Amino acid sequence: MTTKKPDLEDKELVKRRIYEATKYIPLERLYLSPQCGFASCEIGNKLNGRTTMG
């Protein structure tokens, strides 16, 4: 999950990636932690009110 792109990640893709991770880490130890949303450069992310509010 990322705030670097305004597009919402596909729900099924996220679920598949979580399932793939369970090959290495038990599900009860996995957590989703999206990026904080702060820009990683001076220019920042090109987002507007519509994309930030979902």
Side-chain angles (χ1 to χ4, degrees), residues 17-23 25-32:
R17 293 183 70 195
I18 291 169
Y19 177 73
E20 289 174 17
T22 64
K23 295 176 184 176
I25 304 289
L27 181 60
E28 59 272 6
R29 292 186 54 209
L30 293 175
Y31 296 90
L32 289 180

Side-chain angles (χ1 to χ4, degrees), residues 5-43:
K5 300 177 184 176
D7 301 322
L8 187 61
E9 289 85 354
D10 178 71
K11 179 180 174 180
E12 294 304 317
L13 175 61
V14 172
K15 288 167 60 175
R16 280 195 307 270
R17 293 183 70 195
I18 291 169
Y19 177 73
E20 289 174 17
T22 64
K23 295 176 184 176
Y24 308 98
I25 304 289
L27 181 60
E28 59 272 6
R29 292 186 54 209
L30 293 175
Y31 296 90
L32 289 180
S33 181
Q35 295 175 347
C36 66
F38 291 107
S40 56
C41 63
E42 182 178 333
I43 297 170

